[in-house]
Amino acid sequence: PVLEVRALSAGDKLNGVDMVLRPGEIHGIAGLQGMGQIDLFTACFGALPVRAGAILVDGSQVHLGSPADALHPSIRIGFVPEDRKTEGLFLKLDGTANASLPVVDRFSHLGFLDLKGEEAATRSVFQAVDIAERALYTAAGAFSGGNQQKIAISKWLLAESRILLLFDPTRGIDVGTKHQLYILMRRFADAGGAILFHSTEVPELVHLCDRVSVLYQGRITLTLEGDTISETAIMEAALGGRNAALRSLQQ
């Protein structure tokens, strides 16, 4: 696995979770609101302290004391949070500044920014996610929700992330942009990247994911793979169905 958590406990909700994320896959995380999803994602990004357990990258345990640790070249985890307007972007800054922020040191030398290099690199990732060129110099707040989400994702592509943590990334965007993001996610995985993906829309998990794990009361009670992934099975486990409850007790 490129990313693995063992008996991980973090925040107020997450308790003793085991999970693996493999290169080339989209691993879905399902569950009703407040079951520990956000604790899992933020802990894996170094934004939430770990109470117990371990996080491993490429089979070796890592200490993610902050998002800066997650951005380290040997780890390269990117996180698209739940609220792009308050957590994912600086709405008053242009697309170039937003996209290059995690790796701005790449374009700096002796305290000066290589503005041409920064713009060229950003233009390349914007083209990959199909954002208009004017986003390079226009405030992120001037764009639709879908294009704002593309900018939020672009910065992790620019940072050359190999693991993407996507927390409900299609919420509040139009159908056409959703489809574009689905294609982008699959291309990223097919190129060898790994995606941990939470969505409040169960059909997205069914149709996009190679595996789906269901969180109930802070624990993963069921993991589905391939043809076993269905809306019925996910919802039963998310609501604390009999099989999910038994698995939780056994853990």
Side-chain angles (χ1 to χ4, degrees), residues 151-165:
I151 295 172
I153 292 173
S154 292
K155 65 181 175 182
W156 302 119
L157 300 181
L158 184 57
E160 300 177 347
S161 301
R162 59 197 184 109
I163 301 167
L164 284 181
L165 312 176

Side-chain angles (χ1 to χ4, degrees), residues 71-83:
L71 288 170
H72 191 275
S74 65
I75 297 177
R76 288 187 285 145
I77 297 176
F79 176 40
V80 176
E82 181 176 16
D83 192 334

Side-chain angles (χ1 to χ4, degrees), residues 106-151:
R106 185 189 300 173
F107 307 104
S108 63
H109 180 66
L110 299 177
F112 293 93
L113 274 177
D114 174 10
L115 297 177
K116 289 185 178 180
E118 180 188 33
E119 182 178 305
T122 304
R123 178 181 285 107
S124 178
V125 294
F126 279 7
Q127 289 174 346
V129 299
D130 194 24
I131 303 177
E133 185 169 328
R134 67 185 180 90
L136 292 168
Y137 48 82
T138 304
F143 290 89
S144 66
N147 281 315
Q148 287 178 3
Q149 196 68 299
K150 287 182 182 180
I151 295 172

Side-chain angles (χ1 to χ4, degrees), residues 19-94:
M19 182 209 70
V20 297
L21 178 65
R22 303 185 182 103
E25 80 166 347
I26 301 174
H27 188 146
I29 299 294
L32 301 181
Q33 186 174 1
M35 292 296 173
Q37 303 95 312
I38 192 63
D39 293 345
L40 173 62
F41 278 66
T42 50
C44 287
F45 191 56
L48 184 69
V50 171
R51 290 190 281 109
I55 299 173
L56 294 84
V57 174
D58 296 329
S60 298
Q61 185 171 345
V62 296
H63 174 69
L64 301 178
S66 72
D69 294 330
L71 288 170
H72 191 275
S74 65
I75 297 177
R76 288 187 285 145
I77 297 176
F79 176 40
V80 176
E82 181 176 16
D83 192 334
R84 58 184 167 270
K85 292 182 181 295
T86 61
E87 299 177 314
L89 297 169
F90 290 100
L91 297 181
K92 293 184 179 181
L93 297 182
D94 60 32

Side-chain angles (χ1 to χ4, degrees), residues 31-32 35 214-216 221 232-242 244-245:
L32 301 181
M35 292 296 173
V214 184
L215 276 168
Y216 181 71
T221 57
T232 300
I234 291 172
M235 288 308 302
E236 179 187 354
L239 292 169
R242 183 175 62 86

Side-chain angles (χ1 to χ4, degrees), residues 194-251:
I195 296 176
L196 191 65
F197 172 52
H198 168 65
S199 176
T200 52
E201 297 186 26
V202 174
E204 286 190 338
L205 298 171
V206 173
H207 294 294
L208 280 174
C209 297
D210 303 294
R211 287 187 298 144
V212 176
S213 295
V214 184
L215 276 168
Y216 181 71
Q217 295 184 345
R219 308 191 74 160
I220 289 179
T221 57
L222 181 67
T223 296
L224 303 164
E225 187 168 355
D227 293 338
T228 67
I229 301 173
S230 71
E231 292 185 42
T232 300
I234 291 172
M235 288 308 302
E236 179 187 354
L239 292 169
R242 183 175 62 86
N243 292 338
L246 287 173
R247 286 184 176 84
S248 183
L249 288 173
Q250 290 169 355
Q251 291 177 357

